[in-house]
Amino acid sequence: MTAKVSTASLPGRWVLPVTAAVNGVATGMYVPFTLVFFHHVTGLSFTVVGAVLTATGLVGLTLLPLVGAAVDRYGAKRVQYALYGVRVVGFALYPFAHSLAAFAAVALVTAAADRGFPAVQQTLIGEVARGAELDRLQAATRALQNAGYGAGALTATLVIAFAGGTGYTWTAWGNALCFALAALLLRPLRPVRASEGAGDGRTGAGYRLVLADRPFLVVTGANFLNALNYSALSVLVPLFVVEWLRGPAALSGAAFTLNTVVCAVAGVYVGARVRRTGARRTRAAALGGGLFAVGFAAQIVLGTLRPGSAAVLGTALAAVVLVHTFGELVHSPAAEVLAVAAAPEELRGRYMAAYQMSWSLAKTVAPSMFTALLAVDGRVPWAVLIVTSAVAAGLLIRVERHLPAEAVRPVPVAVAHGTGASTAATSSVTA
């Protein structure tokens, strides 16, 4: 039996942004303090913790294809539950993982869950919304996730300030509780997937079809180049401020906070303004990359002038970070939704896993790449990023005519695929 329901009534319109906010709180409680966090909760040395996190992160990256295949077989919501469960258990156990073997085992399973989460999240968004609604949901989800991230970092800072080393243990258990809460909040969500058996033949082809989809691979490659831009704020800016500009380290923390706050406050508004222009998603993502390049050019100017006054340096850095943040607000919703909409529904899990590789690889190579370039000259890494931003923008514009039309330019009303025919106003949902 089927019933016609309006796409706008789907619970995903509020469930996913809210769960993203709670998930962001958990992530924000440990990411800014990663090495110190795990050093305190496990008792192992910083060197050991760093080596284990690097190794398990790389192994977790190799498990992404399995996560994508599981999503296509069981559905994104079920896999999301599994990933939340792994993270709940992992963070609950961290304070007891004092031996190297125990820490490595817990870190491995949580790293796999962390690496797989964004791909599953994007697939889930694609199962809930279509067309312009997909853009709105993506923008809201990202904005609330950034708000959660900032709230989590502030919470951890306060807990650690008042409780000292014990605060790290409480934070670990707080992470577990947040992930459990996010899983509970996900319950009302009722994703709408393709009808049973609709994609059996294509699903059986697995990742061969993903690798044969050249336009999608171009989109993924462009995202790798742009993902380096995102890593610049968390990896390159702190080094640039301290090593090249000779400024106080606190400025980099202030820059990161500014970025987080603006993303949380203005994310939905900027996304809506971009959609109202009717811009193609490829062009919006390319424009975001262009804004990144402008910000990087400003960093070169700043690195050339190297103001001696901390007040002048802080003001100039804040202005540059605002340009970078605006580029992020324009680029991110368009680029993420472009990938989701370009993926065939029955293989979206695999497609999103492949796309997530671009983010993970960028995060992996960014530290060594930026430090090597900075050793040559503080302005060199920014010059390289200007080139990568321009190349990424060119790739997106060139590939747009080879992508599905509905992926490039969203329709005004979302369409959710159900067991029967769908129109722009309604969708068939199995009752």
Side-chain angles (χ1 to χ4, degrees), residues 118-163:
V120 181
Q121 177 86 340
Q122 290 304 114
T123 305
L124 198 53
I125 289 176
E127 291 182 3
V128 170
R130 298 291 187 275
E133 180 65 19
L134 189 59
D135 299 78
R136 286 189 285 270
L137 184 57
Q138 173 66 32
T141 298
R142 180 170 178 80
L144 285 182
Q145 182 170 292
N146 273 287
Y149 189 91
L154 177 61
T155 300
T157 300
L158 293 175
V159 170
I160 293 167
F162 283 103

Side-chain angles (χ1 to χ4, degrees), residues 47-418:
T47 304
V48 171
V49 169
V52 170
L53 291 178
T54 299
T56 55
L58 292 173
V59 174
L61 183 62
T62 65
L63 297 177
L64 255 177
L66 297 178
V67 174
V71 168
D72 289 333
R73 179 165 184 174
Y74 302 108
K77 185 179 178 181
R78 291 181 181 177
V79 177
Q80 193 84 305
Y81 274 136
L83 297 186
Y84 275 134
V86 169
R87 294 159 107 187
V88 168
V89 174
F91 278 95
L93 291 178
Y94 267 128
F96 305 103
H98 299 302
S99 70
L100 176 59
F103 174 53
V106 177
L108 177 59
V109 293
T110 51
D114 285 340
R115 295 298 188 275
F117 183 86
V120 181
Q121 177 86 340
Q122 290 304 114
T123 305
L124 198 53
I125 289 176
E127 291 182 3
V128 170
R130 298 291 187 275
E133 180 65 19
L134 189 59
D135 299 78
R136 286 189 285 270
L137 184 57
Q138 173 66 32
T141 298
R142 180 170 178 80
L144 285 182
Q145 182 170 292
N146 273 287
Y149 189 91
L154 177 61
T155 300
T157 300
L158 293 175
V159 170
I160 293 167
F162 283 103
T166 306
Y168 289 100
T169 298
W170 289 112
T171 302
W173 289 337
N175 281 352
L177 289 175
C178 283
F179 289 132
L181 176 60
L184 289 175
L185 290 172
L186 197 65
R187 290 188 63 189
L189 183 64
R190 295 292 181 268
V192 184
R193 305 185 70 205
S195 57
E196 279 303 316
D200 288 346
R202 298 190 71 185
T203 303
Y207 283 98
R208 286 181 294 167
L209 283 175
V210 180
L211 296 175
D213 191 338
R214 292 185 179 180
F216 186 83
L217 294 181
V218 171
V219 170
T220 301
N223 190 69
F224 167 76
L225 297 176
N226 277 316
L228 293 172
N229 300 335
Y230 288 81
S231 295
L233 188 62
S234 58
V235 179
L236 179 55
V237 167
L239 293 173
F240 182 66
V241 169
V242 175
E243 298 295 328
W244 183 258
L245 298 177
R246 303 299 180 187
L251 285 181
S252 59
F256 190 79
T257 301
L258 177 63
N259 169 263
T260 302
V261 171
V262 173
C263 283
V265 173
V268 174
Y269 173 77
V270 173
R273 294 291 295 180
V274 172
R275 286 194 304 277
R276 288 189 193 124
T277 66
R280 302 172 187 178
R281 288 165 175 154
T282 44
R283 303 295 174 94
L287 174 60
L291 291 170
F292 282 140
V294 172
F296 299 150
Q299 292 282 28
I300 292 177
V301 174
L302 187 60
T304 301
L305 297 177
R306 301 169 86 170
S309 167
V312 173
L313 177 59
T315 302
L317 185 63
V320 174
V321 169
L322 283 176
V323 175
H324 180 283
T325 303
F326 188 56
E328 182 177 334
L329 294 177
V330 174
H331 170 270
S332 180
E336 295 297 303
V337 171
L338 176 67
V340 173
E345 186 169 359
E346 63 272 19
L347 288 173
R348 189 176 283 133
R350 289 175 171 87
Y351 269 71
M352 291 301 97
Y355 186 76
Q356 181 59 30
M357 283 283 189
S358 63
W359 286 106
S360 298
L361 286 174
K363 290 179 182 179
T364 300
V365 305
S368 57
M369 171 184 164
F370 290 151
T371 52
L373 293 174
L374 192 69
V376 177
D377 188 287
R379 295 160 292 187
V380 170
W382 302 115
V384 171
L385 288 174
I386 290 174
V387 174
T388 58
S389 298
V391 171
L395 288 173
L396 288 170
I397 293 173
R398 182 164 184 172
V399 79
E400 70 179 18
R401 61 192 177 94
H402 300 292
L403 294 168
E406 63 274 15
V408 173
R409 193 188 293 276
V411 294
V413 182
V415 180
H417 295 281

Side-chain angles (χ1 to χ4, degrees), residues 29-50 53 103 156 160 164-169 171-172:
M29 281 198 288
Y30 77 92
V31 166
F33 317 98
T34 303
L35 287 176
V36 178
F37 177 94
F38 289 116
H39 165 71
H40 276 277
V41 298
T42 64
L44 298 171
S45 70
F46 287 112
T47 304
V48 171
V49 169
L53 291 178
F103 174 53
I160 293 167
T166 306
Y168 289 100
T169 298
T171 302

